[in-house]
Amino acid sequence: MPQGRPQGVQLTILLIAILALALIGLYFGRRRALGTAGTNLSKLHSMPSYHGWYVALWCGIPSGIVLVVWLVIQGPVLEALLLSYLGPQVAGQSDAMIGLLLNDVRNLASGDVVSRDVDPALQAAADRYASMKSTAGAAVLAIGLALGGAGFGWAWRRISPGLRARNKVERVVNIVLILSSCVAIVTTIGIVLSVLFESIRFFSIIPFWDFLFGLKWSPQTAIRADQVGSTGAFGAIPLFTGTLMITLIAMLVALPVGLFAAIYMAEFASPRFRNVVKPILEILAGVPTVVYGFFAALVVAPTIRGIGESIGLDVASESALAAGIVMGIMIIPFISSLSDDAIVAVPNALREGSLAMGATRSETVVKVILPAALHGIVAACLLAVSRAIGETMIVVMAAGLAANLTANPLDAVTTVTVQIVTLLVGDQEFDSAKTLAAFALGLMLFVVTLALNVFALHIARKYREQYD
Amino acid sequence: MTEDTDAMVSLMMDEEVAPAAAADPEAPPAPRTRMRARGVDVFYADKQALFDVDIDLAQNKVTALIGPSGCGKSTFLRCLNRMNDIIDICRVSGSITLDDRDIYGRDIDVVQLRARVGMVFQKPNPFPKSIYENVAYGPRIHGLANRGSELDDIVEHSLRRAGLFDEVSDRLQQPGTSLSGGQQQRLCIARAIAISPEVILMDEPCSALDPIATAKVEELIDELREHYTIAIVTHNMQQAARVSQFTAFFHLGVLVEFEATEQIFTNPHDQRTQDYITGRFG
């Protein structure tokens, strides 16, 4: 019978107990507040339910903090305790061997497979570990319950008509809101750091400038010394130009079509037409990109090739043009929908003002509406560009994997995202330059999209100042 | 377009008599009528908003349209430059003429009509452009200036006429929205007169302004009268009394009374007019 379980059970008990205590606190806090107020509710500074929440929070927060802190620190603490127990056995061994031993002890204690024969010493260590763990769990349970009870008693005794329960509860709510808004920021920072550290490892193998300005991309490296294979080349320029070309083609397709569609729907279309067509256009945004990939690879690319051959051009079966066009179709809804919103948001007063000057509808659109909606349209475009840069599936299926450095849209090219995927697909070891290159590419992608977003914000703000 | 206008002006040289002026025996020689509405009905879908309205706008006079909210005075004003065309469900019948030509006729281009009948709105609505470009907007779209210097002249002249030039002459390239509310409204007036309209319609032009800005705009309206025919919708009866020569009182979509302003405010014929101007309703 594995002996590690009881601690899990203890912590679950603690969690349930905390919640139950908080619920009880919620109910009795409210009742006590009502009791102290007597018949005259207006004597209370705060409404009774705030008193209830006050007690509940005093029950839940301190013991909750104990629980969370223990969950965070239990690993290192238990390991230190185990090491001090094992002391003489591990003396003089390397860190890696100690790590392996500790791992086996933990696995044995929780009943998992271990990497060596179980000898009595190991079994003893595992038993010791399990008992430490369960003792610690019991201690945490006791401390948590005691704190919860103490919090309950403290808050219960403080309840009086003059208690500013509302202010205190609202401050806690405030803190919860702040923490929630920090989640996204902290996650982003975490992602950046993880990518950054892997990238730094990559750049310790491949010089930064070779990566950034190298003209050849061929990430195959020999795994074993005696293997026949290329030495690998990690010049990212072909990937950048490929990404740039496909994005450019996509925007050349999407920007005019999307913008014209938005103008027509916002300014000229009858309400009936608009109500039918706008949702249909937005459905385009919901089509999975893999499906667009099929379309690109099976319909658009052969068509382009056929047309190219008929006029005597040599077109690769997987071309940047095909991928770019289909990607452009994919991002039309982004541009049309967001631009439409921006145009509709232009105050009607401006529209009437222009028409009353004897301007035609189209003069009004070009000279008044579009400038007024420009920041929204620019934001839509930059969002679309970010979408295009980050898009993977269409390019994998329609543009191929060949990292050609070319300005010819009829050649096969590849993009940053596609290379990240191909570098990380399959079984990979995480210390070769080939795999780490994916992180360096990811970092570049992140930096570029971040710069685009900052630029978009800047533009939006500049025009907003001028036009609102 | 100017030739067209001149032809019409010469057609109109025989003086027309406004009925309101005729009702006042003390009145000086009756002014020429520029716009004439006869039997105007307006419907929003099935709901009738105006009933059989007859009004004349006299040359170089200010005609005030007053009445309680929802009485149809703004609707009538918007018939005069066909701004109601923008509203799909709105239908206008009856006849409205500008210099004796039916403005709803087949041969009238609404774009040219609006160039001759300008409009100033309730809320200042400068375009998201510089002060200069706001005023230059109309001349540009109508091709009134061939060279940059001509355009500069039109802009300066319009701003001067709107009494705004001295306040903004050193910052013509700044956005029109950077001005104060009263300045923005005068900018909109400058914008409207930059294309030399013959009639200017004002839809509660001072309702979003403070008293000082209002006084300036009222003064301006009185000066503009010298060159233009003006119709103004207002909720403010003192304002109607101060700036207008003729006043039309609307109630529930009906034109109750249309007389010289003095007559309306001192000796109205209709009990409803009397009640409204003495503040008993509305």
Side-chain angles (χ1 to χ4, degrees), chain A residues 32-313:
Chain A
R32 183 169 158 89
L34 282 170
T36 57
T39 52
N40 186 5
L41 260 185
S42 63
K43 261 168 59 187
L44 286 174
H45 169 270
S46 308
M47 293 299 283
S49 61
Y50 281 109
H51 289 270
W53 277 107
Y54 179 72
V55 177
L57 290 171
W58 264 109
C59 294
I61 292 178
S63 43
I65 289 174
V66 167
L67 180 58
V68 170
V69 166
W70 174 246
L71 287 176
V72 171
I73 65 164
Q74 66 167 342
V77 168
L78 285 175
E79 194 177 298
L81 286 174
L82 187 59
L83 268 183
S84 71
Y85 166 78
L86 289 170
Q89 291 182 38
V90 295
Q93 291 189 20
S94 73
D95 282 355
M97 291 306 290
I98 295 176
L100 206 58
L101 180 64
L102 288 178
N103 218 12
D104 277 336
V105 170
R106 273 198 290 266
N107 285 346
L108 188 61
S110 60
D112 289 338
V113 182
V114 292
S115 67
R116 66 184 78 189
D117 294 333
V118 180
D119 57 25
L122 187 68
Q123 187 63 55
D127 291 346
R128 172 80 189 184
Y129 180 77
S131 83
M132 280 193 308
K133 211 172 162 186
S134 113
T135 313
V140 170
L141 177 62
I143 295 171
L145 286 178
L147 268 179
F152 187 103
W154 161 257
W156 170 265
R157 284 198 30 214
R158 290 199 53 193
I159 286 181
S160 67
L163 176 68
R164 296 174 165 259
R166 173 168 50 78
N167 307 35
K168 293 181 197 308
V169 170
E170 280 175 354
R171 193 177 313 151
V172 172
V173 171
N174 212 337
I175 292 170
V176 170
L177 294 181
I178 292 171
L179 290 179
S180 309
S181 63
C182 289
V183 166
I185 299 171
V186 171
T187 314
T188 313
I189 293 174
I191 292 172
V192 172
L193 288 182
S194 69
V195 173
L196 189 65
F197 284 126
E198 297 299 324
S199 302
I200 289 171
R201 281 175 67 194
F202 172 74
F203 291 130
S204 68
I205 305 171
I206 308 289
F208 180 69
W209 299 112
D210 288 4
F211 170 75
L212 205 56
F213 296 115
L215 299 180
K216 190 165 183 306
W217 178 265
S218 166
Q220 296 308 323
T221 49
I223 295 172
R224 298 185 307 276
D226 57 340
Q227 199 175 23
V228 181
S230 63
T231 50
F234 294 94
I237 287 286
L239 306 188
F240 294 154
T241 55
T243 307
L244 200 67
M245 190 201 292
I246 289 186
T247 305
L248 199 69
I249 295 170
M251 290 309 289
L252 284 179
V253 172
L255 186 58
V257 177
L259 193 56
F260 290 167
I263 290 172
Y264 179 70
M265 280 201 282
E267 291 292 321
F268 296 100
S270 69
R272 260 179 64 199
F273 181 85
R274 185 185 154 89
N275 288 343
V276 173
V277 172
K278 197 167 186 232
I280 293 178
L281 199 57
E282 275 162 9
I283 287 174
L284 270 183
V287 177
T289 56
V290 174
V291 178
Y292 280 108
F294 284 134
F295 180 61
L298 299 181
V299 180
V300 178
T303 310
I304 290 175
R305 190 177 180 178
I307 295 171
E309 275 171 355
S310 67
I311 57 172
L313 286 174

Side-chain angles (χ1 to χ4, degrees), chain A residues 355 358-361 363, chain B residues 1 4 81-82 85 98 101-117 142:
Chain A
L355 292 173
T360 62
R361 281 210 111 109
E363 283 167 344
Chain B
M1 196 193 71
D4 195 25
N81 67 346
R82 292 181 57 179
D85 289 13
L98 172 62
R101 279 179 70 182
D102 186 359
I103 63 168
Y104 283 85
R106 276 170 205 275
D107 56 334
I108 289 284
D109 181 7
V110 67
V111 165
Q112 285 178 15
L113 170 72
R114 288 181 189 150
R116 294 176 62 193
V117 183
H142 293 293

Side-chain angles (χ1 to χ4, degrees), chain A residues 271 348-361 363-364 366-368 371-372 465-468, chain B residues 78 81 83 86 88 111 114-115 117-119 121 125-129 137-138 141-142 175 177 191-192 195:
Chain A
N348 212 23
L350 290 183
R351 216 164 270 126
E352 292 200 332
S354 174
L355 292 173
M357 297 288 298
T360 62
R361 281 210 111 109
E363 283 167 344
T364 303
V366 172
K367 297 191 174 175
V368 175
E465 276 169 6
Q466 199 172 344
Y467 289 137
D468 276 355
Chain B
R78 291 167 63 97
N81 67 346
M83 284 304 278
I86 302 172
D88 288 330
V111 165
R114 288 181 189 150
V117 183
M119 191 163 196
F121 294 84
N125 57 350
F127 297 137
K129 299 172 183 294
Y137 182 77
I141 59 176
H142 293 293
T177 46
R191 186 176 72 187
I195 51 174

Side-chain angles (χ1 to χ4, degrees), chain A residues 254-443:
Chain A
L255 186 58
V257 177
L259 193 56
F260 290 167
I263 290 172
Y264 179 70
M265 280 201 282
E267 291 292 321
F268 296 100
S270 69
R272 260 179 64 199
F273 181 85
R274 185 185 154 89
N275 288 343
V276 173
V277 172
K278 197 167 186 232
I280 293 178
L281 199 57
E282 275 162 9
I283 287 174
L284 270 183
V287 177
T289 56
V290 174
V291 178
Y292 280 108
F294 284 134
F295 180 61
L298 299 181
V299 180
V300 178
T303 310
I304 290 175
R305 190 177 180 178
I307 295 171
E309 275 171 355
S310 67
I311 57 172
L313 286 174
D314 185 23
V315 183
S317 61
E318 293 177 318
S319 65
L321 191 60
I325 288 174
V326 174
M327 198 189 280
I329 293 171
M330 180 195 83
I331 57 182
I332 283 173
F334 287 88
I335 294 191
S336 75
S337 185
L338 290 172
S339 304
D340 181 78
D341 291 345
I343 291 172
V344 169
V346 172
N348 212 23
L350 290 183
R351 216 164 270 126
E352 292 200 332
S354 174
L355 292 173
M357 297 288 298
T360 62
R361 281 210 111 109
S362 48
E363 283 167 344
T364 303
V365 167
V366 172
K367 297 191 174 175
V368 175
I369 306 287
L370 288 186
L374 194 61
H375 62 262
I377 294 171
V378 169
C381 288
L382 288 167
L383 184 74
V385 170
S386 307
R387 240 343 262 257
I389 290 179
E391 174 50 38
T392 315
M393 281 322 292
I394 293 176
V395 190
V396 171
M397 296 171 82
L401 302 173
N404 296 325
L405 180 57
T406 173
N408 179 2
L410 303 176
D411 273 350
V413 297
T414 191
T415 66
V416 173
T417 50
V418 169
Q419 286 306 313
I420 292 176
V421 170
T422 51
L423 289 174
L424 292 182
V425 166
D427 293 334
Q428 303 289 352
E429 76 280 36
F430 265 74
D431 53 0
S432 78
K434 181 188 168 191
T435 319
L436 291 174
F439 292 98
L441 288 176
L443 185 66

